[in-house]
C-alpha cells in the first residue's frame, strides 16, 4: 500500500514524512486496516469528540465532564465506556472517584490533526 499526499495545501504530514515511510514499508494487512477503520469510527461521534477535547486539557471525573459539556452523567459515562474500550481514554481511581484522561499523546495528535484539517 502506498500512501500519497494529494493535499493541495501545505500539510505537516506531507509526502516523504517519517510516518508515511514507516507505514508504507510495513504494508498493513487487512486486519490492521480494519482495526484502523474501527478506531476512526469512534471519532465519528460528536459527543465523544467533545469529551476528547475537554480531556486534552487534563484528567476529569464524570461529573466534571458532564458539567463542562452540559450533559447528563449517564450520557457521558456511556461514551467514556466506548472511548475506554477503544483504548483512547484511561482511568485512575482516587477513593470513590474515577478520573479519566487520554491514554497517550497519540490520541491528542489524532484529534489535533483532525481539527487542523477541518480548519484549513
Amino acid at each position: 500500500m502506498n500512501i500519497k499526499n494529494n493535499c493541495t495545501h501545505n500539510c505537516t504530514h506531507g509526502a516523504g514524512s517519517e510516518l508515511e515511510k514507516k507505514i508504507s514499508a510495513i504494508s498493513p494487512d487487512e486486519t490492521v486496516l480494519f482495526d484502523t477503520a474501527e478506531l476512526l469510527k469512534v471519532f465519528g461521534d460528536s459527543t465523544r469528540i467533545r469529551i476528547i477535547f475537554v480531556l486534552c486539557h487534563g484528567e476529569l471525573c464524570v461529573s466534571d465532564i458532564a458539567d463542562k459539556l452540559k450533559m447528563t452523567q449517564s450520557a457521558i459515562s456511556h461514551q467514556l465506556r466506548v472511548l475506554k474500550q477503544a483504548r483512547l481514554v484511561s482511568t485512575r481511581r482516587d477513593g470513590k472517584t474515577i478520573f479519566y484522561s487520554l491514554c497517550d499523546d497519540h490520541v491528542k495528535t489524532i484529534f489535533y490533526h483532525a481539527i487542523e484539517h477541518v480548519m484549513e
Side-chain angles (χ1 to χ4, degrees):
M1 168 180 288
N2 189 11
I3 300 172
K4 294 199 181 234
N5 181 10
N6 293 324
C7 294
T8 58
H9 51 278
N10 198 10
C11 293
T12 58
H13 60 270
S17 73
E18 289 303 312
L19 181 59
E20 181 181 346
K21 289 176 187 174
K22 180 179 177 180
I23 293 171
S24 294
I26 62 170
S27 188
D29 63 18
E30 288 301 315
T31 303
V32 171
L33 296 175
F34 177 83
D35 290 346
T36 302
E38 291 300 308
L39 172 67
L40 292 174
K41 285 180 189 178
V42 174
F43 283 92
D45 179 89
S46 62
T47 298
R48 291 190 289 264
I49 289 296
R50 293 172 67 212
I51 292 169
I52 290 170
F53 176 73
V54 298
L55 291 177
C56 281
H57 304 291
E59 71 175 11
L60 295 167
C61 64
V62 173
S63 62
D64 289 343
I65 297 169
D67 288 345
K68 285 183 179 290
L69 299 182
K70 297 181 181 8
M71 296 180 66
T72 66
Q73 289 186 29
S74 175
I76 296 299
S77 292
H78 172 73
Q79 297 303 337
L80 283 168
R81 200 167 20 261
V82 173
L83 290 168
K84 189 173 180 185
Q85 287 173 342
R87 298 179 315 177
L88 296 175
V89 299
S90 58
T91 58
R92 177 183 67 83
R93 181 179 290 276
D94 185 5
K96 291 183 178 182
T97 306
I98 297 175
F99 290 92
Y100 292 84
S101 61
L102 298 179
C103 274
D104 56 36
D105 285 339
H106 291 116
V107 179
K108 195 180 284 190
T109 300
I110 294 166
F111 177 72
Y112 284 162
H113 277 281
I115 295 279
E116 176 187 38
H117 182 76
V118 168
M119 292 176 65
E120 289 181 346

